[in-house]
Amino acid sequence: MPVEPYDPNEYIDPEEAEARERQAHREAYAAWCARLYGSGDEMDWCKPAPLDDLDTQLAEHAAQIRNVARNVTSDVLSGSNNADKQIKFVGALTRLVQVNVAIAKVLGGHRADSKTVHGVEAAPGAQDVGSSA
């Protein structure tokens, strides 16, 4: 970045000087981030690297979520928290279970109309089977 010539007789407004410094810092930071992440677009920074084995990564996430769900379940069942915390714990546990079930469906559901997590055939006469009788 070129340095502007300095004139000692020129009045420099402190607010303007600070604004210039902030702008210069933003530009330097953007250039640094572009070099670091390989792009100037912030959405590119958030994208995960391409995966060779999505099932393995999903299985790891499912295991991590299962462990967190166990910890939250123990907190919910302990009953040692106030009502507000209990409600928050139950809400968090519900979302964790939903995420874990969704991951399990991706990993193990082999039938398009499967109503079970692992794609197991539904029992004869089961209630939520895809037929409309």
Side-chain angles (χ1 to χ4, degrees), residues 35-72:
R35 283 193 312 273
L36 179 67
Y37 296 117
S39 170
D41 184 12
E42 290 184 17
M43 292 306 292
D44 288 343
W45 305 347
C46 300
K47 285 192 299 193
L51 294 174
D52 293 331
D53 189 10
L54 180 63
D55 288 348
T56 302
Q57 185 179 24
L58 283 175
E60 289 175 13
H61 287 310
Q64 292 168 347
I65 291 171
R66 185 175 53 242
N67 290 337
V68 171
R70 285 180 183 157
N71 289 337
V72 173

Side-chain angles (χ1 to χ4, degrees), residues 2-51:
V3 178
E4 296 177 15
Y6 174 69
D7 181 7
N9 297 324
E10 178 185 359
Y11 173 75
I12 299 174
D13 182 30
E15 290 179 7
E16 183 181 327
E18 187 177 331
R20 275 194 228 155
E21 286 179 16
R22 278 196 307 268
Q23 181 62 30
H25 176 73
R26 277 193 295 269
E27 290 170 2
Y29 180 74
W32 178 77
C33 287
R35 283 193 312 273
L36 179 67
Y37 296 117
S39 170
D41 184 12
E42 290 184 17
M43 292 306 292
D44 288 343
W45 305 347
C46 300
K47 285 192 299 193
L51 294 174

